[in-house]
Amino acid sequence: MDDLIRQHILPGLKNDALDELGDSARLNLASGSLCFTTDSYVVKPLFFNGGDIGKLAVCGTVNDLAVAGSKPVALALSLIIEDGFEMELLDKILVSVGETARQVGVDIVTGDTKTVESGAADRIFINTAGIGIRLAGVDLGFEKIAVGDKIIINGTIGDHGMTVISQREEMKFRSQLKSDCASLAGLIGELLENTSGIKFMRDPTRGGLAATLNEIARSTALSVEIRETDIPIRPAVQAAADMLGFDVLAIANEGKFVAIVSPESADECLNICRNNKLGKEANIIGEIVGTLDVPLVEIETRIGGKRIVQMPYGRELPRIC
Amino acid sequence: MDDLIRQHILPGLKNDALDELGDSARLNLASGSLCFTTDSYVVKPLFFNGGDIGKLAVCGTVNDLAVAGSKPVALALSLIIEDGFEMELLDKILVSVGETARQVGVDIVTGDTKTVESGAADRIFINTAGIGIRLAGVDLGFEKIAVGDKIIINGTIGDHGMTVISQREEMKFRSQLKSDCASLAGLIGELLENTSGIKFMRDPTRGGLAATLNEIARSTALSVEIRETDIPIRPAVQAAADMLGFDVLAIANEGKFVAIVSPESADECLNICRNNKLGKEANIIGEIVGTLDVPLVEIETRIGGKRIVQMPYGRELPRIC
């Protein structure tokens, strides 16, 4: 275990806090106003077009910190490894973790490694917990959302989920699909620093856009209206979803945020997004509307009708992230 | 998943930060001088005499923060659950998590739950990451350790590891064994507030006392001498270890710390320990000694000889914590 840590895990993740090799990392942050998050990653397959479990574990946790209005600064990395897991693959995953963390500008400051016997885990699971420093003057929350607010998404939906599913199902056109797995910290930081009209942000991962919008409706007691024609979806993603019988609205994304913004600042937000490579296809997809009744998420379909977008229910797709 | 979280996971863990149910918890800490740690728990069996995976997951992470010289304030809880895992057992584990956290005075502020298909994990794995606020004026580290410093342990060794192993092996006298699983945050806080001679602390979990002392020798380039007669060991633990062929020095503990203290403050530290229920059997077990050669950990045996205590090597005992 000591050799595994020193020879395979540490080399790619070098930084002062980690090098101390204490059981805890010591951090001196500019402020004690923090965000703190955790996520376990059990994605299958471990490597997919556009990413792998290592990149996902860094980006997913970084994105949770970013949408909460903080600058991600430190991650903790915990590995559960099945006995017999190939060392070359472990190295490949750790290189990906290290490279992604460097690109994002976040340090892996502490970690843990457990091995379990063959059959007790499916190859490797990764947990990343993260700390972000809250951006001064930024205070996002459901309670800020008001009737008339615009709903912005920074690009196409369903890419991550459909890529993983199609790879698992060995679908023929899977090469046309690519996960959107990416860190949103840069783009979100830019948005929050340069505009003041953002009320709330969330990354629509498990349960996709449908889950995020239903959560907004439930938490605000306001309804949500979106327009199908305004939601960016790649044709290959739509085709894969249709073929396998999935609703793209409920499919996981790993490089997308939903932002609820005041009507006055919507265009400015959109411009900032579209000037960033992670927001080129950003769009206003709908609005927050008042309701006298039960709050709902409704979609205006391509043919002009309306249908309710439900909270995804029943057994969800396992091991998408 | 939503029901699982709202009905089973949240009720026992209630606090303001968690109730927001964001993907990140927002914390306002008194200071940005923090400790940050993570650990995954894969212990088998899930329930053992003296504890369970839930209690272990809280205490283990709290102890990592405490020995680093911080006051634990917030934990993140992440569950990986095998499909088909009994809901009653999950509830029992979560009650244990909640109760232990309350006793320790630490909040579970954020979390994550993933399910994997039957056969892809062994029932349940838990990751807890934690944040502690560094105690003012406390600065522990290997670099503080000097020749003549005393080595204190707060009680008997090997209890946790031998309890788990004996339960797994279904040994007859397993009822006489009980894990020492406990939060050390209170006792350590008391020690660090009331004495100034503590140089370094570590909780000897995996690899036991042998691993911790070897790490000290390696990191300080000083040798360590301990006396077998001064190391508290319960007779049942020694008997179980002898029967199964284990060295108690290398067995995991979950409610113990090793403290390296200046000779002047050793008695004061010992007194504080012995007045606390988690330190009644505390003892000075040895000293830091100079070396002109390779730094070693040596033990003076009961019969007066000396032997080298090696870093535990080879395949370590799996799933002890």
Side-chain angles (χ1 to χ4, degrees), chain B residues 212-270:
Chain B
T212 297
L213 296 180
N214 270 283
E215 213 181 328
I216 291 170
R218 178 160 68 184
S219 299
T220 59
L222 297 172
S223 282
V224 170
E225 280 187 11
I226 54 174
R227 289 170 298 274
E228 194 172 17
T229 48
D230 290 335
I231 302 173
I233 303 177
R234 280 187 217 296
V237 168
Q238 187 67 60
D242 289 345
M243 184 174 296
L244 295 170
F246 290 116
D247 180 357
V248 183
L249 293 175
I251 296 294
N253 309 280
E254 288 292 344
K256 294 297 165 337
F257 62 76
V258 169
I260 310 298
V261 305
S262 68
E264 309 79 50
S265 63
D267 286 339
E268 193 186 357
C269 287
L270 212 53

Side-chain angles (χ1 to χ4, degrees), chain A residues 23 26 29 32 37 40 78 140, chain B residues 23 26 29 32 37 40 78 140:
Chain A
D23 280 334
R26 295 190 281 193
L29 306 180
T37 190
S40 289
S78 183
L140 308 175
Chain B
D23 281 333
R26 295 191 282 194
L29 306 180
T37 190
S40 289
S78 184
L140 308 176

Side-chain angles (χ1 to χ4, degrees), chain A residues 41 43 46-48 51-60 75 77 92-98 100-101 108 124 126 128 181:
Chain A
Y41 297 86
V43 67
L46 298 174
F47 298 86
F48 46 82
D52 58 75
I53 190 172
K55 181 181 178 188
L56 191 64
V58 174
C59 291
L75 297 186
L77 178 77
K92 215 172 143 186
I93 290 166
L94 290 167
V95 165
S96 177
V97 166
T100 310
I108 311 284
I124 186 169
I126 299 184
T128 38
C181 179

Side-chain angles (χ1 to χ4, degrees), chain A residues 80-114:
Chain A
I80 297 176
I81 306 172
E82 184 187 14
D83 195 16
F85 183 60
E86 303 90 318
M87 200 56 85
E88 306 80 60
L89 293 185
L90 179 62
D91 286 343
K92 215 172 143 186
I93 290 166
L94 290 167
V95 165
S96 177
V97 166
E99 280 181 3
T100 310
R102 255 190 305 281
Q103 282 160 17
V104 177
V106 70
D107 282 336
I108 311 284
V109 296
T110 188
D112 178 51
T113 306
K114 292 287 186 321

Side-chain angles (χ1 to χ4, degrees), chain B residues 118-130:
Chain B
S118 176
D122 190 4
R123 310 182 79 193
I124 185 168
F125 299 145
I126 299 184
N127 177 280
T128 39

Side-chain angles (χ1 to χ4, degrees), chain A residues 217-231:
Chain A
R218 177 161 69 185
S219 299
T220 60
L222 296 172
S223 282
V224 170
E225 279 186 10
I226 53 173
R227 289 170 298 275
E228 193 171 17
T229 48
D230 290 336
I231 302 172

Side-chain angles (χ1 to χ4, degrees), chain A residues 23-29 32-34 36-37 39-40 64 78 83 112-114 120 122 140 206 315 319, chain B residues 23-29 32 34 36-37 39-40 64 78 83 112-114 117 120 122 140 206 315:
Chain A
D23 280 334
S24 297
R26 295 190 281 193
L27 305 175
N28 283 305
L29 306 180
S33 192
L34 305 177
F36 182 31
T37 190
D39 259 304
S40 289
D64 279 344
S78 183
D83 195 16
D112 178 51
T113 306
K114 292 287 186 321
D122 190 4
L140 308 175
R206 276 192 294 178
R315 297 185 72 79
R319 307 188 61 182
Chain B
D23 281 333
S24 297
R26 295 191 282 194
L27 305 175
N28 283 305
L29 306 180
L34 305 177
F36 182 30
T37 190
D39 258 304
S40 289
D64 279 345
S78 184
D83 195 15
D112 178 52
T113 307
K114 293 288 186 322
E117 71 275 19
D122 190 4
L140 308 176
R206 276 192 295 178
R315 298 185 71 80

Side-chain angles (χ1 to χ4, degrees), chain B residues 185-219:
Chain B
L187 172 53
I188 291 175
E190 214 181 310
L191 278 168
L192 293 173
E193 270 167 41
N194 294 297
T195 66
S196 58
I198 299 180
K199 314 281 196 86
F200 176 83
M201 299 185 99
R202 182 63 57 92
D203 51 335
T205 53
R206 276 192 295 178
L209 190 58
T212 297
L213 296 180
N214 270 283
E215 213 181 328
I216 291 170
R218 178 160 68 184
S219 299

